[in-house]
Amino acid sequence: MFQGTIPQPMRAIVHETAREWPAGAAVYIPCCGNFTIERSIADLGFELHSSDVSIYTSAIGRWLTRQPVGIRLRPESEEELGWLADSLDDAVGTVATMMLGTRFLPALGRETLYHQRVVSSYRAQWERMHAETVEKLSATDLQLASYDAEDVRSWLTRVPETAPVCSFPPFYGGGYEKLYAPLEAHFAWDAPTYSPLTDADVVSVLGAITERPYWLTASNHHVPELESHLRGVIKATPRAAPFYVYASKARTRIVAPRQPLQPVTAPRLRQGEEITGPLTLSPLTAAQFNALRSRYLNPKIAPGSAHLSVAVRAGGRIVGVFAMSPSSYTPDEAYLLSDFAVAPTDYPRLSKLIVLAATSTEAQLLCQRAFSKRIRAVATTAFTQKPVSMKYRGLLKLTKRGPSNESGYAYQLQYQGPMGGHTLAEAFATWTAKWGTPKTTPAAAKETTT
């Protein structure tokens, strides 16, 4: 229902820290966003005062304080969105409309068939979806003592000096403006006047918050000036940016991602052993994939979450692994999230066999079963020091080359190709004929994908 941006470990830290604040105190939450802080400490009996400047947050905040929401459809949007008029009741119905609007309004007016279907689907199901959202909102027990749509810089000047303050200011300048631009484009309201927070402004706001006896804040930037108040570092997932938690007084915490591991007992191809057929595929559990990935994948590559993980076996021995997820951009495409060969072996081009196996008819069938849709193509990203990936060269088509956004690599390469054009038997025959001659010299360092 509410859009959440604060990870669960941080919500737990907020609750634990706030328990040490004066009982029944008035707690002030500027930049309240999605009211995650309020919901985290709602059971502690505090008097909650919140503020923010976005249309989305102000709709919720005014409704939670029994104020008129004050949001209406712009005249120029009535032709496209007139069907929303009955849902704007200046109360919970308007709040539900804002929440659902964040999901479909970004697609409004776009010409692609996908975006047109998104809008038409919401319109066709609007009555039911809106009623369900209103019902969920009406069941909330969160209560606010006050809510103000006001710039954090001026609002903080009116907060009592001894009152606890808890806030996670926006981490990126202009973030609100981009996130809620579709709502602002179609709905009018008495928006407060303010200038977007720059990185320097965020530091200034943090300073104003910390000039109090009780406070807690967090940032995705390490703030050297608050080093003595650093109470926690949170990295919820391997790819998530770290949060630095600062507080006047709190227990120290370090939260790091932990991946489940399950041993894989199947034999693996080793140095000095000859590779033999037949080539087969064996689906892996997430924990088994994690174990193999931790053993063979470059540790500098942040792991992602795969929908399908598969071991490639030759003559019963594991020779490599690949992992797939549905593409976020192309309906009939699978994204090759990771592929790697076991090592060390006598075959420097063993990684090409894994790519051939991942694009086989048998792999296509596994993807279609896992994703419940037709899959005709595969795409992947390679990070490398060279302008071309030798692993994918000749097997997939290079569609884009650019500078790497991962440290330690010069290039970020996008590859794409058809899926299901050959069987596993044909893949093994092709690889054996072109790259299957064993070498006694150590294999060159292999590229990795993510």
Side-chain angles (χ1 to χ4, degrees):
M1 184 172 63
F2 292 87
Q3 297 184 30
T5 56
I6 301 175
Q8 174 57 37
M10 188 174 293
R11 296 197 290 271
I13 290 176
V14 169
H15 188 275
E16 179 184 67
T17 303
R19 290 176 62 183
E20 304 300 321
W21 295 345
V27 176
Y28 291 79
I29 304 101
C31 303
C32 60
N34 300 301
F35 300 93
T36 312
I37 295 174
E38 289 86 339
R39 287 179 283 140
S40 299
I41 62 177
D43 64 334
L44 297 180
F46 293 123
E47 182 182 288
L48 303 176
H49 300 266
S50 307
S51 77
D52 212 310
V53 294
S54 77
I55 183 173
Y56 174 87
T57 305
S58 295
I60 301 172
R62 289 174 174 177
W63 169 66
L64 288 174
T65 52
R66 297 177 177 81
Q67 302 177 58
V69 175
I71 295 175
R72 58 198 177 279
L73 192 64
R74 293 185 183 276
E76 59 269 27
S77 298
E78 289 180 357
E79 182 176 351
E80 284 184 302
L81 296 174
W83 47 278
L84 296 178
D86 292 340
S87 302
L88 301 174
D89 61 358
D90 210 28
V92 65
T94 300
V95 176
T97 301
M98 294 297 101
M99 289 185 168
L100 293 172
T102 61
R103 303 178 186 177
F104 80 90
L105 285 177
L108 188 67
R110 302 186 66 173
E111 297 180 354
T112 65
L113 183 60
Y114 167 78
H115 292 103
Q116 292 174 2
R117 285 178 174 174
V118 168
V119 176
S120 62
S121 176
Y122 267 82
R123 182 169 185 174
Q125 302 178 71
W126 181 257
E127 185 175 346
R128 175 186 59 80
M129 297 174 69
H130 186 265
E132 291 176 352
T133 306
V134 167
E135 182 179 0
K136 291 179 181 178
L137 283 168
S138 299
T140 185
D141 56 359
L142 178 62
Q143 296 183 358
L144 301 182
S146 71
Y147 175 84
D148 296 298
E150 184 178 345
D151 189 326
V152 60
R153 287 159 287 197
S154 62
W155 192 76
L156 279 173
T157 64
R158 299 190 289 105
V159 174
E161 294 181 357
T162 58
V165 174
C166 185
S167 177
F168 301 151
F171 300 139
Y172 303 100
Y176 275 156
E177 290 70 27
K178 295 177 182 177
L179 181 61
Y180 299 122
L183 290 178
E184 294 278 5
H186 299 287
F187 296 94
W189 68 301
D190 55 334
T193 301
Y194 72 98
S195 57
L197 293 177
T198 64
D199 289 344
D201 290 329
V202 172
V203 175
S204 176
V205 169
L206 289 176
I209 292 172
T210 58
E211 294 176 351
R212 304 168 186 280
Y214 304 101
W215 57 270
L216 184 146
T217 187
S219 173
N220 67 337
H221 301 291
H222 178 57
V223 184
E225 294 81 0
L226 297 178
E227 177 65 31
S228 62
H229 296 286
L230 181 62
R231 306 303 182 193
V233 179
I234 298 174
K235 189 174 177 64
T237 66
R239 291 184 169 275
F243 287 90
Y244 299 90
V245 182
Y246 304 92
S248 55
K249 183 180 180 181
R251 296 180 181 180
T252 56
R253 293 283 187 267
I254 295 179
V255 179
R258 178 182 178 274
Q259 60 178 3
L261 300 177
Q262 181 180 349
V264 180
T265 58
R268 306 169 198 179
L269 184 67
R270 303 183 183 277
Q271 202 166 22
E273 297 180 342
E274 181 181 358
I275 191 170
T276 60
L279 202 64
T280 57
L281 302 179
S282 298
L284 298 168
T285 65
Q288 288 173 330
F289 172 66
N290 290 339
L292 292 170
R293 177 176 58 189
S294 299
R295 172 66 178 83
Y296 297 109
L297 191 63
N298 188 331
K300 294 182 179 180
I301 298 295
S305 178
H307 287 65
L308 173 67
S309 305
V310 179
V312 181
R313 304 175 73 174
R317 291 172 294 183
I318 296 177
V319 295
V321 174
F322 66 84
M324 299 279 197
S325 288
S327 172
S328 301
Y329 306 100
T330 308
D332 63 348
E333 186 176 79
Y335 184 75
L336 183 57
L337 184 72
S338 182
D339 64 280
F340 53 88
V342 300
T345 71
D346 294 337
Y347 300 91
R349 293 288 179 258
L350 185 59
S351 59
K352 283 185 172 289
L353 179 59
I354 310 308
V355 178
L356 283 166
T359 55
S360 66
T361 300
E362 290 85 345
Q364 180 186 36
L365 292 175
L366 286 178
C367 285
Q368 291 177 159
R369 183 177 67 181
F371 307 158
S372 298
K373 63 179 180 179
R374 180 77 66 184
I375 298 296
R376 297 183 176 87
V378 64
T380 191
T381 306
F383 296 92
T384 177
Q385 297 289 9
K386 300 179 181 180
V388 175
S389 168
M390 298 307 295
K391 174 167 61 173
Y392 300 119
R393 184 179 181 180
L395 302 179
L396 300 175
K397 180 182 179 181
L398 178 63
T399 58
K400 183 178 180 181
R401 178 189 294 117
S404 173
N405 60 13
E406 294 277 356
S407 61
Y409 299 94
Y411 296 97
Q412 181 171 324
L413 311 175
Q414 305 293 335
Y415 281 88
Q416 194 270 346
M419 198 173 190
H422 55 264
T423 64
L424 286 173
E426 292 168 339
F428 189 70
T430 298
W431 179 84
T432 301
K434 293 185 176 181
W435 303 290
T437 303
K439 301 291 184 180
T440 56
T441 57
K446 297 178 175 65
E447 297 147 336
T448 57
T449 62
T450 183

